[in-house]
Amino acid sequence: MDFDLNGGNKRVFNRLGGGGGSTRTMAPTDTRQKVCFHWRAGRCNRSPCPYLHRELPGPGPGQGQGPGYTNKRVAEESGFAGPSHWRGPGFNGNSNSSWGRFGGNRTVTKTEKVCNFWVDGNCTYGDKCRYLHCWSKGESFSLLTQLDGHEKLVSGIALPSGSDKLYTGSKDETLRVWDCASGQCTGVLKLGGEVGCVLSEGPWLLVGMPNLVKAWNIETNADQSLNGPVGQVYSLVVGTDLLFAGTQDGSILAWRYNAATNCFEPAASLTGHTLAVVTLYVGANRLYSGSMDKTIKVWSLDNLQCIQTLTDHTSVVMSLICWDQFLLSCSLDNTVKIWAAVEGGNLEATYTHKEEHGVLALCGVHDAEAKPVLLCSCNDNTLRLYDLPSFTERGKIFAKQEIRAIQIGPGGIFFTGDGTGQVKVWKWCTEPTTALS
């Protein structure tokens, strides 16, 4: 089972200038006024070529420069009015960056799209290509390496504290073990079912699968299968002394670890969601659950009772995190919502950040100056980095397919896993501190 992330929600990128601007009417026999089709595709090898290798014909006698092409981008920023509430957008502006005339010594303004020819290793434009020849945009981080091996979407990444191993789970039904020093895959465990999530807690590595949770003790090599879930396990989290699992049938199962028997024992089943529980998060003695039923439920960890249901989202709630006194949620309804406690203790949505596409995952970190940064994966195959609380964009990461797994590591490292099975390792130029809690 998976979510329909494509329905009308994919950005369509068009090459600028390929029919977007005004053109001149040419005589069909005048090849000097026609643009070379092969040049447009980046593979013309004729020299000399009888057709134009530029989008517009050069100026005739007494004419000026031909019109350029303009790439228009709208940048949205928002202000923060104080420590306890979020303020709506305070500035919307347009910044136009002209392509100028093709050919000659022109300044190339990059379009926010990775060059497909560069990805395939055969772009002939080099530095003059208008599309990006890198997987990111921004100066505060850089790509260290790429880990290849998974054949399908990476659904979970875990880096146990103090370990020199990285663990990644995928819908290709495998769990891969990577050596952090060399970046080499040192083991592949075939599980016989799709991995829905991966969690590291103490010595335990926990993997959500269809109808069960697999638990491995990486120190003793002991393993256990936790039965009870119905359908895929999409999310795992630990709160107080309980392990919670969000399942496909809408229930949240809980186990308690028994140190005497070295086993996880069933403790409770939390019901209330009507569709699959996609995301879980623990903060402020509360368990928060997001579901395909478009709701967020707040559970007390004291008695495991639901104390509030949040219904502001209009599509699947994909991810939840806590920051300071706020709860942050994201959804396929193209929004990130900020929730704050009001009089009486209930949560209310006090700010909504809108994206052009569905939002798939959230992860938080503090930078070297102790400023919070939100990593926000969107359904246009990008991950955006925002300074909080202003939501000012700091940078952007691109992928071939959607990024569904994000993990923060030590020493300014973080990891992303995408729909193609690629895991990328990123390094902050200035080291961040601990992840948001």
Side-chain angles (χ1 to χ4, degrees):
M1 177 179 179
D2 200 4
F3 313 117
D4 179 11
L5 301 179
N6 297 320
N9 214 5
K10 286 286 186 182
R11 182 195 298 272
V12 178
F13 293 99
N14 293 314
R15 277 190 172 270
L16 297 180
S22 60
T23 59
R24 300 180 182 180
T25 302
M26 307 298 175
T29 58
D30 190 356
T31 61
R32 294 171 299 174
Q33 300 298 304
K34 288 186 176 181
V35 178
C36 174
F37 172 81
H38 299 286
W39 172 81
R40 278 181 173 172
R43 57 174 181 266
C44 180
N45 55 13
R46 291 179 291 188
S47 182
C49 180
Y51 299 96
L52 288 175
H53 277 204
R54 59 176 179 264
E55 295 290 348
L56 294 175
Q63 293 178 325
Q65 300 289 339
Y69 287 81
T70 300
N71 176 30
K72 181 176 291 185
R73 183 178 61 194
V74 178
E76 293 186 356
E77 300 179 23
S78 59
F80 181 61
S84 61
H85 64 282
W86 296 71
R87 185 157 58 94
F91 168 81
N92 288 326
N94 293 335
S95 59
N96 297 333
S97 54
S98 175
W99 287 104
R101 186 171 176 271
F102 283 81
N105 296 323
R106 63 184 178 90
T107 300
V108 178
T109 302
K110 300 295 184 182
T111 299
E112 290 192 355
K113 179 183 184 298
V114 177
C115 173
N116 291 328
F117 295 103
W118 172 78
V119 171
D120 296 334
N122 57 12
C123 180
T124 59
Y125 288 102
D127 292 339
K128 293 184 178 181
C129 182
R130 74 185 71 172
Y131 297 100
L132 296 175
H133 283 198
C134 60
W135 288 110
S136 64
K137 181 181 179 182
E139 298 179 353
S140 58
F141 57 94
S142 60
L143 177 63
L144 283 185
T145 189
Q146 178 176 301
L147 309 179
D148 295 314
H150 284 298
E151 298 176 356
K152 294 182 179 179
L153 180 143
V154 176
S155 51
I157 302 173
L159 184 65
S161 177
S163 173
D164 60 350
K165 298 292 189 295
L166 177 76
Y167 298 86
T168 58
S170 167
K171 291 183 68 173
D172 64 9
E173 304 186 359
T174 68
L175 182 74
R176 285 182 173 265
V177 187
W178 307 85
D179 181 77
C180 292
S182 65
Q184 298 299 310
C185 181
T186 60
V188 180
L189 185 60
K190 296 181 179 179
L191 302 177
E194 293 185 356
V195 174
C197 54
V198 181
L199 174 69
S200 172
E201 182 67 27
W204 291 96
L205 184 70
L206 304 149
V207 179
M209 295 176 56
N211 305 314
L212 62 87
V213 175
K214 291 289 292 184
W216 285 275
N217 189 310
I218 60 177
E219 295 177 354
T220 65
N221 292 324
D223 67 271
Q224 183 182 356
S225 293
L226 312 185
N227 297 311
V230 177
Q232 179 68 59
V233 175
Y234 288 114
S235 183
L236 292 166
V237 71
V238 171
T240 58
D241 59 344
L242 294 175
L243 168 67
F244 296 96
T247 65
Q248 186 173 340
D249 73 343
S251 62
I252 303 170
L253 300 187
W255 294 267
R256 180 175 283 106
Y257 178 68
N258 187 327
T261 62
N262 197 33
C263 291
F264 291 88
E265 299 175 348
S269 178
L270 286 60
T271 59
H273 285 295
T274 58
L275 293 173
V277 176
V278 180
T279 178
L280 297 171
Y281 203 90
V282 167
N285 201 38
R286 298 285 188 267
L287 170 68
Y288 303 94
S289 59
S291 170
M292 289 184 69
D293 65 13
K294 309 176 187 178
T295 71
I296 301 168
K297 287 186 177 292
V298 185
W299 310 80
S300 168
L301 288 179
D302 291 330
N303 56 21
L304 300 184
Q305 297 299 306
C306 180
I307 57 178
Q308 189 181 2
T309 300
L310 310 176
T311 59
D312 290 31
H313 281 296
T314 59
S315 187
V316 180
V317 180
M318 294 294 293
S319 185
L320 300 165
I321 64 172
C322 293
W323 170 58
D324 208 2
Q325 70 268 40
F326 301 103
L327 173 71
L328 284 70
S329 64
C330 72
S331 167
L332 294 184
D333 65 9
N334 301 9
T335 67
V336 176
K337 289 186 179 291
I338 313 299
W339 307 82
V342 295
E343 186 176 355
N346 280 344
L347 293 175
E348 287 189 3
T350 58
Y351 177 76
T352 297
H353 169 78
K354 295 182 179 180
E355 293 283 356
E356 295 181 11
H357 302 269
V359 188
L360 308 178
L362 300 176
C363 188
V365 68
H366 288 90
D367 66 14
E369 298 178 351
K371 295 179 180 179
V373 177
L374 181 68
L375 309 183
C376 180
S377 173
C378 295
N379 199 21
D380 59 349
N381 304 341
T382 68
L383 185 146
R384 295 145 193 266
L385 290 83
Y386 292 112
D387 284 323
L388 292 182
S390 66
F391 270 95
T392 302
E393 187 173 301
R394 173 178 285 196
K396 188 181 293 186
I397 288 172
F398 304 89
K400 289 183 178 180
Q401 293 183 20
E402 73 275 12
I403 293 173
R404 296 281 288 274
I406 313 169
Q407 177 64 41
I408 304 300
I413 302 292
F414 65 98
F415 307 86
T416 58
D418 66 29
T420 68
Q422 290 182 343
V423 177
K424 289 187 172 69
V425 186
W426 303 88
K427 170 74 173 180
W428 288 83
C429 296
T430 55
E431 293 187 0
T433 58
T434 57
L436 299 183
S437 59

